[in-house]
């Protein structure tokens, strides 16, 4: 079962060093994510392309939800979802499921992926499911089931106006299972870094239990920016763990997994 996991393992929960013990978990496997990307070892490909469909227009019926581990952006419309395809995705067609964030309590860490040993303050994941599978469950049982776009953010003094509509609504879902319909346009392109190329690609896993080894990862090389006030919105989010001293829900705090061994895998650019 994967219900009682947390990142730090405090208060009797199962922390990341023990995730491999959870039932049906692949967290101890050899194709795990995140990783530390060494840019001097990248394998140069002639043309890795991604085609974006529906990334430039507003998402239909968007909402944000605090699920106790992160804040997630979804669409309540099951049709007309944005899609990605192209050679970088082995020409499979993937449709958008949800986007969520990983952060830290200080600016020097928070991202899941690292580049040359360096962590960033925030990482956005845009999760997509392969349209050849009928359900997400079916996709989670196949090595090409998911594609996740990862955007690294660093903290800046200036706010990022492109993420403002999402951040305004993110501020409203403090407690676990709180959900808020978004009444302003959310355009996924605005969440990507200024330069969407180049990007790195490798085969990995979900970064939370059950750590299914089904994800084609795309990590953008360009680093996006987030204002410090915007970053602090994430740090206020509460999870499901109750603080024994105060009787109140604890802050989610750090919600990044530490990096995993490549085990001989290659990272392409
Ligand atoms: C976050 O906990 C999301 O809320 C999960 O989405 C997601 O699981 C999980 O991260 C792992 O995704 O891109 N970090 S990741 O590898 O997308 C899935 C949920 O809806 C299956 C639970
Ligand atoms: Zn994630």
């Amino acid at each position: 079962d994967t219900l009682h996991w947390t990142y730090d393992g405090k208060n009797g929960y199962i922390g990341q060093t023990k995730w491999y013990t959870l039932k049906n978990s692949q967290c101890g496997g050899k194709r795990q994510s995140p990783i530390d990307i060494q840019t001097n070892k990248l394998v140069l490909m002639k043309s890795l392309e991604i085609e974006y469909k529906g990334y430039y227009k507003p998402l239909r019926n968007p909402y944000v939800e605090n699920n106790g581990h992160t804040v997630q952006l979804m669409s309540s419309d099951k049709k007309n979802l944005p899609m990605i395809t192209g050679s970088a995705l082995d020409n499979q067609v993937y449709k958008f499921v949800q986007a969520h964030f990983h952060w830290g309590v200080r600016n020097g860490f928070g991202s899941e992926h690292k580049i040359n040993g360096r962590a960033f303050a925030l990482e956005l994941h845009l999760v997509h499911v392969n349209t050849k599978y009928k359900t997400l469950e079916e996709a989670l049982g196949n090595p090409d089931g998911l594609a996740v776009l990862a955007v690294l953010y660093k903290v800046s003094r200036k706010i990022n106006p492109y993420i403002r509509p999402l951040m305004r609504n993110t501020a409203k879902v403090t407690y676990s299972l709180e959900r808020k319909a978004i009444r302003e346009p959310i355009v996924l392109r605005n969440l990507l870094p200024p330069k969407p190329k180049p990007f790195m690609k490798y085969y990995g896993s979900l970064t939370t239990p059950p750590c299914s080894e089904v994800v084609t990862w795309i990590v953008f090389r360009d680093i996006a920016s987030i204002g410090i006030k915007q970053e602090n919105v994430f740090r206020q989010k509460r999870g499901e763990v109750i603080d024994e001293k105060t009787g109140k829900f604890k802050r989610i705090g750090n919600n990044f997994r530490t990096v995993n061994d490549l085990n001989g895998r290659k990272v392409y650019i």
Side-chain angles (χ1 to χ4, degrees):
D1 192 72
T2 54
L3 278 175
H4 292 299
W5 62 268
T6 60
Y7 287 89
D8 64 15
K10 290 180 183 162
N11 305 76
Y13 286 77
I14 296 168
Q16 53 179 305
T17 59
K18 301 277 169 60
W19 286 354
Y20 73 93
T21 65
L22 292 162
K23 198 168 90 196
N24 300 321
S25 164
Q26 295 182 35
C27 301
K30 295 234 179 295
R31 182 192 151 170
Q32 290 292 294
S33 295
I35 57 166
D36 182 5
I37 297 170
Q38 303 298 137
T39 53
N40 62 351
K41 291 187 186 145
L42 293 170
V43 177
L44 199 59
M45 301 290 278
K46 278 203 206 81
S47 67
L48 281 186
E49 297 290 339
I50 303 175
E51 278 174 57
Y52 297 89
K53 291 173 191 163
Y55 258 70
Y56 294 85
K57 59 184 185 196
L59 197 61
R60 294 212 189 185
N61 301 322
Y63 65 91
V64 274
E65 182 179 63
N66 175 336
N67 68 12
H69 298 297
T70 185
V71 176
Q72 198 156 293
L73 165 70
M74 296 183 86
S75 164
S76 49
D77 196 335
K78 290 304 137 218
K79 281 188 194 154
N80 304 296
L81 289 162
M83 307 245 218
I84 51 173
T85 186
S87 58
L89 302 168
D90 304 304
N91 297 305
Q92 301 290 298
V93 180
Y94 292 88
K95 78 170 180 228
F96 178 74
V97 186
Q98 46 97 349
H100 63 268
F101 293 88
H102 301 267
W103 61 84
V105 300
R106 298 278 175 274
N107 294 349
F109 49 86
S111 69
E112 299 212 293
H113 288 91
K114 290 181 169 183
I115 298 184
N116 299 329
R118 179 174 173 200
F120 296 84
L122 183 73
E123 184 166 335
L124 165 65
H125 289 158
L126 296 132
V127 180
H128 302 73
V129 61
N130 194 325
T131 53
K132 79 179 176 193
Y133 302 118
K134 282 190 213 73
T135 62
L136 187 61
E137 291 62 45
E138 190 189 350
L140 288 174
N142 285 281
D144 60 355
L146 299 184
V148 182
L149 306 182
V151 185
L152 300 164
Y153 282 79
K154 63 170 191 272
V155 170
S156 128
R157 281 168 299 274
K158 268 180 40 208
I159 69 143
N160 174 344
Y162 295 103
I163 62 171
R164 212 173 182 171
L166 177 58
M167 294 313 300
R168 260 201 292 266
N169 288 276
T170 296
K172 295 172 186 166
V173 291
T174 302
Y175 292 96
S176 186
L177 303 183
E178 280 187 336
R179 184 186 278 206
K180 182 87 181 67
I182 303 179
R183 311 235 171 263
E184 50 194 317
I186 299 293
V187 174
L188 294 186
R189 170 64 184 99
N190 289 341
L191 310 180
L192 302 185
K195 284 184 294 183
K197 270 168 83 164
F199 52 78
M200 286 94 58
K201 170 233 176 116
Y202 77 97
Y203 299 106
S205 74
L206 296 179
T207 66
T208 66
C211 308
S212 316
E213 296 184 327
V214 302
V215 180
T216 301
W217 279 96
I218 301 289
V219 181
F220 295 103
R221 186 69 184 91
D222 194 20
I223 309 299
S225 298
I226 182 168
I228 181 63
K229 284 189 178 165
Q230 294 175 316
E231 172 81 11
N232 282 336
V233 168
F234 292 111
R235 295 176 177 153
Q236 298 308 319
K237 298 298 145 200
R238 309 268 168 175
E240 293 187 346
V241 181
I242 292 176
D243 187 325
E244 280 143 17
K245 283 193 217 112
T246 63
K248 291 182 180 162
F249 290 108
K250 289 173 72 169
R251 289 192 175 83
I252 293 174
N254 295 323
N255 64 354
F256 61 92
R257 187 186 193 194
T258 57
V259 294
N260 295 273
D261 205 289
L262 270 173
N263 295 307
R265 286 175 290 173
K266 292 194 162 47
V267 184
Y268 305 92
I269 190 165

